[in-house]
Amino acid sequence: MEVFLIRLLQFVLAISLLVLLHEGGHMFFSKLFGVRVEKFFIFFDIGIGKWKGSLFHFKPKNSDTEYGMGWLPLGGYCKIAGMIDESFDTEQMEKPAEPWEFRSKPAWQRLLIMIGGVLVNFLLALFIYSMVLFYWGDSYVQVKDMSMGMKFNKEAKAFGFQDGDILVGTDIAPFKDFNADLYRNLAEAHRVDIVRGGKHMTINLPGNLNLLGMLKVTPQFVKPLVPAKVDSVMPETPASKIGMMKGDKILAINGKTIDSGNEFLNETGRLSDMMTEATSPADSLKIRTTTIAFQHAGSNKVDTTQVTLSSDLTIGIGMATIYDYYKPVQIDYNFFQSFPAGIKYGIHVLGGYVSDMQYVFTADGAKSLGGFGAIGSLFPPVWDWHIFWMMTAFLSIILAFMNILPIPALDGGHVLFLLYEMITRRKPSEKFMIRAEYVGITILILLMIVANLNDILRWLGYM
């Protein structure tokens, strides 16, 4: 429960900040051009009549804007006078246009008002990345320095990879650290350079591997090889009850030899798959009852004991990571150096995200869509400001990109119609705009349902 609350708090804080500044971007340009903003809300105050409520709201003296926070945490909105938006305020649109309304302003001003939110989100992401680099610097383990090599799945081994191979680079670029870029390079590469047994070798690849398939399969295409060493044991857990301690090495699970931390995670993952087929409490208990062999730290003593895993199939240990075995490269930036580095990093993240969007339009991609649960799970189970700000910057880039898509009801839809108007010198009719808004909102609701349904199905073990 504590982990859930920590992740929820991080998620709500990040989304609230991003929505506040996104809507603030629209409001800034609206006020700049003399357009009246009627409501500025974080979250939605959805309801009917007197049941349309908010957590709080207020209207400053001599202000045209009502500020508040709604009860439905799905975003926020900035209600701009004289504009067809998700409020569908058609009564206002039937009256003669006022000089302080959105529809009375030149197209170029309306365009800036509509891209204001996206612009703020993108600039915010670049600023956060810059400040993260200024405060923490860039710390990573170089792939070529991972002397224990990699652990490969059977698909990778079919191309000629072997466990323990050290990845160096591809015909596209040398590898830097182990992240999504490494997978993207492998997916598009025709040649991979490796070191095996101290000798440099080359492995040929087709150049069109399915990136999503490489990441979704269990075990994944490739992971750094890390020994199955216990880094921490949480109190009052199955691991603590059988005497497992920091530094112990896991040797086997249910008779299956464990040669690395990767193999340990694969085996616990298989237990999770088996749990989805359990039809009774007895079946569940049988799967959770596991035999584990582990060697005590600093001795040759080996314990083989039976333990009942928790309901979520965890034993209560933290495994050693690559940072326990390799010294990371640390690059520090002064205040002025951090900005070009942060901008470069942010643009690189955006490019990778846009490139990966091609997989959304596949069957596997649709199944990979995630809702609020999937986004929340990206935050760490403990409060870590470095990861929090990196995730917030990443979500800001996603929010900017998704909002600029040419879908009616999103900023990008309004931008598309404004560009049409500027090119043809003709405004789309208000009737058309209202219908387009309905279509856009329907699309967004369907996408939200699919994404959050995927979360539920994953939680139930059906995906």
Side-chain angles (χ1 to χ4, degrees):
M1 187 63 180
E2 181 183 355
V3 169
F4 171 78
L5 291 176
I6 290 174
R7 281 179 164 156
L8 176 64
L9 184 58
Q10 292 179 89
F11 171 71
V12 172
L13 179 59
I15 292 298
S16 300
L17 175 66
L18 297 181
V19 170
L20 174 67
L21 294 177
H22 177 92
E23 300 303 335
H26 293 306
M27 187 173 187
F28 170 79
F29 284 104
S30 297
K31 296 287 188 180
L32 182 66
F33 300 129
V35 177
R36 186 173 295 175
V37 176
E38 297 176 352
K39 295 182 75 173
F40 185 90
F41 265 62
I42 301 298
F43 304 154
F44 294 121
D45 58 335
I46 292 176
I48 300 175
K50 66 178 182 179
W51 299 107
K52 188 171 184 178
S54 59
L55 299 178
F56 69 85
H57 63 95
F58 64 95
K59 190 173 184 180
K61 189 177 181 180
N62 301 323
S63 174
D64 298 316
T65 308
E66 177 188 3
Y67 300 89
M69 176 178 283
W71 61 269
L72 188 62
L74 297 181
Y77 68 97
C78 176
K79 189 177 186 305
I80 300 171
M83 173 184 167
I84 296 172
D85 58 12
E86 60 271 14
S87 66
F88 295 106
D89 187 0
T90 54
E91 291 183 12
Q92 185 183 63
M93 303 304 292
E94 291 171 357
K95 299 175 183 178
E98 299 287 352
W100 37 261
E101 287 187 335
F102 177 83
R103 54 181 167 163
S104 300
K105 301 300 178 181
W108 70 270
Q109 291 185 4
R110 285 181 279 136
L111 180 64
L112 285 174
I113 290 172
M114 291 317 306
I115 67 173
V118 168
L119 182 62
V120 166
N121 278 133
F122 184 62
L123 293 178
L124 173 66
L126 300 183
F127 177 75
I128 292 176
Y129 282 135
S130 299
M131 291 300 95
V132 166
L133 290 175
F134 169 64
Y135 190 82
W136 283 284
D138 189 10
S139 180
Y140 61 92
V141 175
Q142 296 186 96
V143 175
K144 66 182 181 63
D145 291 340
M146 297 180 184
S147 56
M148 289 183 290
M150 301 287 160
K151 183 81 173 176
F152 299 90
N153 68 7
K154 63 180 181 180
E155 287 80 9
K157 289 177 180 177
F159 290 110
F161 291 106
Q162 293 182 12
D163 289 341
D165 286 350
I166 301 171
L167 297 178
V168 177
T170 68
D171 52 328
I172 299 172
F175 295 127
K176 179 188 173 185
D177 56 342
F178 194 92
N179 56 19
D181 288 336
L182 182 142
Y183 276 94
R184 293 189 188 103
N185 282 356
L186 286 174
E188 300 172 6
H190 290 89
R191 187 197 79 241
V192 184
D193 299 321
I194 66 168
V195 175
R196 179 183 297 167
K199 296 181 180 179
H200 288 266
M201 300 179 63
T202 294
I203 292 177
N204 295 320
L205 292 179
N208 60 351
L209 294 178
N210 186 303
L211 175 63
L212 197 60
M214 295 169 71
L215 291 167
K216 283 191 66 178
V217 67
T218 302
Q220 291 183 342
F221 191 87
V222 58
K223 282 286 188 181
L225 200 158
V226 180
K229 189 176 180 181
V230 177
D231 181 63
S232 60
V233 179
M234 288 171 272
E236 302 301 318
T237 59
S240 66
K241 292 175 182 177
I242 62 174
M244 197 174 284
M245 300 179 67
K246 180 177 180 177
D248 290 352
K249 185 178 179 182
I250 297 175
L251 302 178
I253 296 179
N254 291 332
K256 165 83 175 185
T257 300
I258 300 297
D259 62 0
S260 65
N262 315 68
E263 194 68 33
F264 173 75
L265 294 176
N266 294 342
E267 286 304 309
T268 53
R270 287 191 181 93
L271 293 177
S272 296
D273 293 339
M274 293 168 61
M275 188 66 83
T276 62
E277 300 176 3
T279 57
S280 67
D283 291 339
S284 175
L285 181 61
K286 184 178 179 181
I287 294 169
R288 290 166 53 206
T289 303
T290 306
T291 301
I292 294 183
F294 61 97
Q295 181 179 349
H296 290 277
S299 75
N300 294 322
K301 182 183 177 184
V302 175
D303 274 350
T304 301
T305 184
Q306 196 174 78
V307 60
T308 302
L309 303 181
S310 60
S311 57
D312 59 355
L313 292 177
T314 57
I315 189 172
I317 61 174
M319 299 297 292
T321 68
I322 57 173
Y323 290 96
D324 294 301
Y325 295 93
Y326 305 116
K327 183 179 180 180
V329 173
Q330 176 68 33
I331 303 175
D332 295 315
Y333 299 88
N334 64 34
F335 184 76
F336 297 103
Q337 291 172 332
S338 67
F339 285 98
I343 291 170
K344 181 180 178 181
Y345 185 85
I347 292 174
H348 180 74
V349 170
L350 175 63
Y353 182 74
V354 173
S355 173
D356 296 344
M357 282 295 292
Q358 61 181 302
Y359 297 100
V360 172
F361 304 102
T362 65
D364 285 340
K367 293 178 182 178
S368 298
L369 287 174
F372 300 112
I375 296 172
S377 66
L378 295 175
F379 288 94
V382 294
W383 199 285
D384 185 311
W385 281 110
H386 178 257
I387 299 177
F388 170 81
W389 286 117
M390 291 294 286
M391 278 305 310
T392 301
F394 180 60
L395 292 177
S396 193
I397 281 183
I398 292 177
L399 186 61
F401 177 76
M402 296 302 292
N403 263 284
I404 205 62
L405 291 176
I407 299 175
L410 291 178
D411 297 341
H414 292 283
V415 168
L416 179 66
F417 297 136
L418 279 167
L419 291 176
Y420 168 82
E421 178 186 340
M422 294 171 75
I423 294 170
T424 65
R425 305 291 181 182
R426 292 189 305 172
K427 275 188 178 183
S429 69
E430 291 180 1
K431 188 175 182 180
F432 170 81
M433 293 294 288
I434 290 172
R435 287 178 175 175
E437 196 78 10
Y438 275 118
V439 170
I441 286 180
T442 300
I443 292 172
L444 294 178
I445 290 174
L446 288 174
L447 284 173
M448 190 177 296
I449 290 173
V450 170
N452 286 284
L453 181 60
N454 283 349
D455 284 352
I456 294 171
L457 291 175
R458 290 189 196 100
W459 181 67
L460 294 174
Y462 290 106
M463 287 184 66

